[in-house]
């Protein structure tokens, strides 16, 4: 069965520091992988996605993620965090084919940024 | 509108009552999804529409939950005989197409349901 694990429930970093949010997935084949961000009072916004090809994907707001098949991971990174990045981050896995759109989400990582 | 619109944004009801939650997707998006997000959890899939038909309703927790999309645009999620455990944020998302599409879902802000 598909599942996503985000081992860190809450992460705190200082503004300007680097960030890495961990995501591990369980899926029987090569999945589609996504990172979404959710700010208070706003809907989930797609940061980036991996479908195929280059395993290092660039997203919006300076985020990137690397797909590592051998580790079943899709960690999200940002070299220098801004205070506006404080939000909740969700990793998700989707199946290829007709059920695309049925995503399995992790429980999320809450990011706090100190000034 | 420019994005996915969900109404009401907040709904408080009593146990046993009937509730309807509405989703207006982005114009032209043929695929529509409902997810449920409980406190401290990630969104959980409920149902997916391709056009007017429910292509996958396997995520609906039981027969108290039902959703329709009669004209292939607006969708309504209906919950009968609400229970306290139904309290959650109900998210709607739409996408240009499923299957061969980019897979990007555009989410609304959600409808927060509280069952007392």
């Amino acid at each position: 069965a598909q599942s996503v694990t985000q081992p860190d429930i809450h992460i705190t970093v200082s503004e300007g520091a680097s960030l890495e949010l961990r995501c591990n997935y369980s899926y029987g084949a090569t999945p589609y992988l996504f990172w979404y961000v959710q700010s208070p009072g706003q809907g989930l916004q797609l940061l980036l996605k991996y479908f195929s090809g280059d395993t290092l994907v660039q997203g919006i707001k300076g985020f990137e993620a690397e797909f590592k098949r051998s580790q079943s991971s899709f960690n999200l990174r940002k070299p220098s965090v801004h205070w506006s990045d404080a939000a909740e981050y969700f990793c998700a896995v989707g199946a290829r084919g007709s059920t695309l759109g049925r995503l399995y989400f992790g429980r999320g990582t809450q990011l706090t940024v100190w000034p | 509108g420019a994005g996915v619109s969900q109404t009401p944004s907040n709904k408080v009801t009593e146990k046993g009552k009937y509730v309807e939650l509405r989703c207006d997707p982005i114009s032209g998006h043929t695929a529509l999804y409902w997810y449920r997000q409980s406190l401290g959890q990630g969104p959980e899939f409920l149902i997916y529409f391709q056009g007017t038909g429910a292509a996958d309703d396997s995520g609906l927790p039981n027969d108290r939950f039902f959703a329709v999309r009669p004209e292939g645009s607006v969708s309504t999620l209906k919950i009968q005989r609400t229970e306290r455990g139904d309290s959650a944020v109900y998210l709607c998302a739409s996408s240009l197409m499923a299957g061969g599409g980019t897979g990007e879902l555009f989410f609304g802000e959600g409808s927060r349901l509280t069952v007392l």
Side-chain angles (χ1 to χ4, degrees), chain B residues 11 13 17-21 77-80 82 113:
Chain B
K11 175 70 176 180
T13 191
K17 299 291 188 182
Y18 170 80
V19 166
E20 287 191 354
L21 306 175
L77 178 65
K78 308 180 181 192
I79 310 173
Q80 298 177 319
T82 52
L113 174 65

Side-chain angles (χ1 to χ4, degrees), chain A:
Chain A
Q2 298 90 337
S3 66
V4 176
T5 302
Q6 293 181 249
D8 304 306
I9 296 174
H10 194 180
I11 283 183
T12 301
V13 298
S14 298
E15 191 170 19
S18 63
L19 172 70
E20 182 170 31
L21 302 182
R22 296 182 290 166
C23 172
N24 291 94
Y25 67 89
S26 173
Y27 187 67
T30 302
Y32 293 145
L33 294 160
F34 307 82
W35 275 98
Y36 281 85
V37 60
Q38 188 176 41
S39 299
Q42 297 186 22
L44 287 157
Q45 181 184 20
L46 181 67
L47 283 177
L48 49 78
K49 59 182 184 277
Y50 171 78
F51 277 19
S52 64
D54 193 346
T55 56
L56 183 64
V57 294
Q58 303 296 322
I60 62 171
K61 304 184 181 185
F63 285 92
E64 66 177 27
E66 186 171 11
F67 169 54
K68 292 185 177 181
R69 184 191 307 273
S70 62
Q71 299 176 17
S72 297
S73 70
F74 189 57
N75 294 349
L76 182 70
R77 300 194 294 251
K78 186 169 184 178
S80 177
V81 170
H82 188 262
W83 64 266
S84 61
D85 293 326
E88 188 144 29
Y89 292 79
F90 293 93
C91 181
V93 61
R96 297 176 181 269
S98 61
T99 58
L100 186 65
R102 176 172 186 163
L103 301 182
Y104 296 84
F105 285 83
R107 63 181 298 173
T109 298
Q110 181 69 46
L111 175 65
T112 299
V113 181
W114 283 1

